[in-house]
Amino acid sequence: MATRKKPAKRTARKAAARKRTPARKGARKVVTTVGFKDTRHKPETLRLRTAAVGLTVNDLQRSLAFYRDVVGFVVADEWKVEGRLQGVEVRSGTISLFLDQDDWKKGRERVKGEGIRIYGRTVQDVDRLAEGIKARGGVLSHEPKTEPWGERDFGLVDPDGFKITISSGV
């Protein structure tokens, strides 16, 4: 017959761990069922699970070929207007990019890609990824290198000038 162990007495260390520092100004303290104080903001602040980037591109077919065939994204969805391809969602893991054909209402001289860089982290070998991108016709803006903070990354630029950095997760 099995015997049940008695619960251990709380030690001074455990009791001290239960004490919490005062909450930030404006946060309401809530005691949870396990005895820890909840210092989340009330009302609750925004908590996203994913984010996606939408890019207006000059030539949707060219951009699609770059992201799918060169970088390695997969097509998740397509949008057609009057039978013509107008937009594409491409995915890599949980990351989505929405590529939308420019309608030229803001002019054909509009510069794209200025002031934005897309950062992606992976657990994959970034050196092998960079080699694969180059083998498929991609041009790197910088070769794989180890940054001072320990991540290894490389860069590339899409056909419209949007900059991309792919790095190892540390």
Side-chain angles (χ1 to χ4, degrees):
M1 188 163 144
T3 59
R4 195 169 167 181
K5 288 185 178 181
K6 290 183 182 179
K9 291 183 181 180
R10 288 186 192 212
T11 64
R13 187 176 62 164
K14 286 184 182 178
R18 288 177 38 98
K19 292 182 182 179
R20 295 284 181 234
T21 57
R24 293 180 303 271
K25 187 176 181 178
R28 197 174 103 209
K29 294 180 184 179
V30 178
V31 177
T32 63
T33 58
V34 293
F36 292 100
K37 293 179 182 176
D38 182 350
T39 58
R40 284 183 268 182
H41 286 265
K42 303 294 180 193
E44 184 176 26
T45 57
L46 177 66
R47 290 188 296 157
L48 299 175
R49 292 188 181 248
T50 63
V53 176
L55 305 175
T56 300
V57 299
N58 290 334
D59 183 336
L60 182 58
Q61 292 295 340
R62 182 179 70 176
S63 293
L64 174 58
F66 173 79
Y67 283 101
R68 181 193 57 211
D69 303 335
V70 175
V71 182
F73 281 76
V74 295
V75 174
D77 205 356
E78 295 181 342
W79 297 274
K80 293 184 179 182
V81 175
E82 298 175 2
R84 217 169 127 225
L85 188 63
Q86 182 62 37
V88 178
E89 176 188 2
V90 292
R91 281 193 191 152
S92 175
T94 61
I95 305 304
S96 289
L97 296 179
F98 294 92
L99 308 175
D100 185 44
Q101 175 62 55
D102 197 334
D103 60 10
W104 309 112
K105 289 181 181 175
K106 294 186 179 181
R108 291 192 178 266
E109 301 80 33
R110 180 165 67 148
V111 177
K112 297 180 175 69
E114 290 297 317
I116 186 170
R117 178 174 293 275
I118 300 166
Y119 290 92
R121 274 206 178 119
T122 183
V123 295
Q124 294 172 289
D125 181 333
V126 293
D127 292 276
R128 284 185 64 190
L129 291 173
E131 286 304 316
I133 287 170
K134 290 192 302 188
R136 293 185 295 275
V139 177
L140 303 184
S141 58
H142 75 266
E143 292 288 328
K145 63 181 179 181
T146 302
E147 299 293 350
W149 52 90
E151 289 187 355
R152 190 151 176 83
D153 68 15
F154 67 90
L156 59 157
V157 180
D158 87 348
D160 292 289
F162 293 104
K163 298 159 194 72
I164 304 164
T165 297
I166 298 175
S167 68
S168 61
V170 174

